Amino acid sequence: MAQYIVGLTGGIGSGKSAAADAFRQLGIKVVDADWAARVVVQRGQPALEQIATHFGADVLLESGELDRAKLRKLVFEQDSERRWLEALLHPLIREEIKLALESATSPYAILESPLLIESGQDTLVQRTCVVDLPEELQIARACARDSNAPEQIRRIMAAQLPRQERLQQADDVLDNAADRASLESQVQTLHEQYLQLAQLTRQQQ
Ligand SMILES: CC(C)(COP(=O)(O)OP(=O)(O)OC[C@H]1O[C@@H](n2cnc3c(N)ncnc32)[C@H](O)[C@@H]1O)[C@@H](O)C(=O)NCCC(=O)NCCS
Ligand SMILES: Nc1ncnc2c1ncn2[C@@H]1O[C@H](COP(=O)(O)OP(=O)(O)OP(=O)(O)O)[C@@H](O)[C@H]1O
């Protein structure tokens, strides 16, 4: 496991991927929880079978892969179904994340996760960085990206920590209300701090 891990979190459409790309450009290994969530439900994985048994074979595409759009609709319309899915997937996602972090060789690593705090993945990290922006801008960007209805995005946001509660958990905040250049220069500043913190941690061991 990389010795110093920074958790990068924020609500749907906040700009986590954009921030993560900027860290990658600086040579930092990024492990993405949404990627791990895809790995654990690939064809042939036991979790995919359990999902098909619980929700019915309708949640599979003809190829046998998960129909993610269908499952997305089902779980964000009913809290109990979302909780069932999370209870199945979160422990598997955590193990996948740990494996990926173990192979990180950069001076520090980033764990990018929309549910870093909600799912307890923050126990895997030394520091929490929150990507923040006003909710209306978050909704507008998330809708534009996925051509999703605002109501769908609001439902997903309702399943995530409210903005203020997330900010209370932050060691660092990336303000993503302005353009990408502004985000990238904030990432550069944090990167320099993280290099120092990672070095201090190594020296103390
Ligand atoms: C419901 C699923 C199939 C929808 O898939 P889809 O490809 O449409 O979306 P994707 O996985 O790319 O997620 C997009 C965004 O939705 C939000 N989101 C996803 N799952 C959740 C959840 N359980 N609670 C709140 N927000 C969520 C996140 O902001 C995420 O970045 C998928 O999100 C899923 O399997 N979710 C449960 C696993 C999970 O909690 N993943 C989040 C990372 S730990
Ligand atoms: N500073 C910015 N200015 C304008 N558009 C931006 C900015 N940052 C991100 N975006 C755009 O907003 C959308 C959401 O950003 P991004 O995909 O990085 O968010 P995310 O937090 O990773 O979302 P999710 O949780 O859904 O994976 C994308 O279309 C992205 O290109």
Side-chain angles (χ1 to χ4, degrees):
M1 180 98 67
Q3 283 173 325
Y4 198 81
I5 303 163
V6 178
L8 178 66
T9 192
I12 185 164
S14 56
K16 292 180 298 298
S17 302
D21 282 347
F23 281 108
R24 274 195 197 93
Q25 292 291 321
L26 296 166
I28 297 305
K29 163 88 173 182
V30 177
V31 174
D32 175 3
D34 283 338
W35 161 84
R38 281 184 164 73
V39 170
V40 300
V41 295
Q42 275 169 356
R43 236 172 19 184
Q45 290 293 322
L48 184 58
E49 260 178 53
Q50 287 173 264
I51 290 170
T53 304
H54 180 85
F55 290 98
D58 270 8
V59 292
L60 299 182
L61 298 166
E62 265 178 34
S63 62
E65 283 166 321
L66 184 61
D67 186 338
R68 302 185 66 88
K70 197 168 274 173
L71 189 56
R72 181 176 180 146
K73 197 164 182 306
L74 287 170
V75 299
F76 291 111
E77 272 172 9
Q78 207 165 342
D79 271 1
S80 57
E81 298 295 17
R82 177 174 52 81
R83 294 216 178 87
W84 182 89
L85 185 67
E86 290 176 352
L88 173 70
L89 296 186
H90 283 180
L92 303 172
I93 292 169
R94 187 182 178 92
E95 287 313 306
E96 206 58 47
I97 286 172
K98 281 166 76 176
L99 272 179
L101 285 171
E102 266 165 27
S103 65
T105 53
S106 50
Y108 66 93
I110 296 273
L111 168 55
E112 174 195 353
S113 176
L115 304 180
L116 183 81
I117 302 160
E118 294 89 326
S119 71
Q121 288 163 6
D122 52 356
T123 59
L124 298 172
V125 307
Q126 277 69 50
R127 203 168 172 92
T128 296
C129 176
V130 168
V131 187
D132 181 62
L133 74 180
E135 285 177 350
E136 289 314 310
L137 188 54
Q138 178 188 356
I139 294 168
R141 284 188 186 160
C143 288
R145 187 196 50 194
D146 302 338
S147 47
N148 257 309
E151 302 76 60
Q152 164 90 312
I153 300 298
R154 282 186 201 279
R155 268 199 289 273
I156 296 175
M157 284 167 68
Q160 303 183 340
L161 268 188
R163 183 180 180 196
Q164 289 311 324
E165 285 179 36
R166 189 183 292 110
L167 282 171
Q168 275 165 17
Q169 305 293 320
D171 296 300
D172 307 302
V173 177
L174 286 166
D175 176 355
N176 195 25
D179 59 13
R180 273 173 186 274
S182 157
L183 181 67
E184 283 161 14
S185 91
Q186 295 172 67
V187 165
Q188 176 70 48
T189 305
L190 284 182
H191 173 65
E192 282 153 24
Q193 287 177 26
Y194 295 159
L195 285 175
Q196 285 183 359
L197 287 167
Q199 196 181 1
L200 272 177
T201 306
R202 274 195 299 276
Q203 283 165 356
Q204 283 163 4
Q205 278 168 353

